[in-house]
Amino acid sequence: MQKRPIQRGRPAGTTTYEAEPAIAFGAAVRDERTNQGIAQETLAHLAGIERSHVGKIERGEHTPTLPLILKIARALKCSSAHLMALTEAKLAEPAPSKSED
């Protein structure tokens, strides 16, 4: 059996990716960050992570681990529960309709 390479940003053994929750969490982080007037680079510095990783999280390209969620919440001076509530609210919103031109 051939070993699969470990992808950066995901826990070992993770084989699935669910875009919808990742995108909703990223949007929640972006909304909270912009509401506070914090730049991505500043958030990255406060959380102790790479700026490019913050961007990938905000775009929903990476699903953060629990320790990373806690670091982001601490950097935003809010609780992880607040970020999860924002995420759940975004998941409950109806999906934007694609208009046909």
Side-chain angles (χ1 to χ4, degrees):
M1 189 163 121
Q2 184 180 3
K3 286 188 176 181
R4 287 189 296 209
I6 296 175
Q7 293 184 3
R8 199 168 169 210
R10 293 188 185 179
T14 299
T15 57
T16 61
Y17 168 75
E18 293 186 41
E20 190 177 13
I23 292 168
F25 179 77
V29 170
R30 179 181 291 126
D31 288 350
E32 190 63 29
R33 176 182 62 77
T34 57
N35 286 342
Q36 293 184 28
I38 299 173
Q40 259 188 8
E41 191 168 345
T42 303
L43 175 59
H45 175 73
L46 292 171
I49 59 177
E50 296 285 328
R51 191 217 46 86
S52 62
H53 199 174
V54 172
K56 289 175 183 177
I57 290 169
E58 288 187 357
R59 289 189 304 274
E61 295 172 3
H62 280 198
T63 304
T65 60
L66 178 60
L68 190 52
I69 292 170
L70 295 171
K71 284 182 178 182
I72 291 169
R74 192 174 308 119
L76 290 171
K77 295 181 178 151
C78 67
S79 69
S80 57
H82 175 69
L83 289 178
M84 290 299 112
L86 292 174
T87 302
E88 289 177 353
K90 294 207 173 286
L91 287 169
E93 291 174 0
S97 62
K98 296 180 181 179
S99 61
E100 294 180 23
D101 292 327

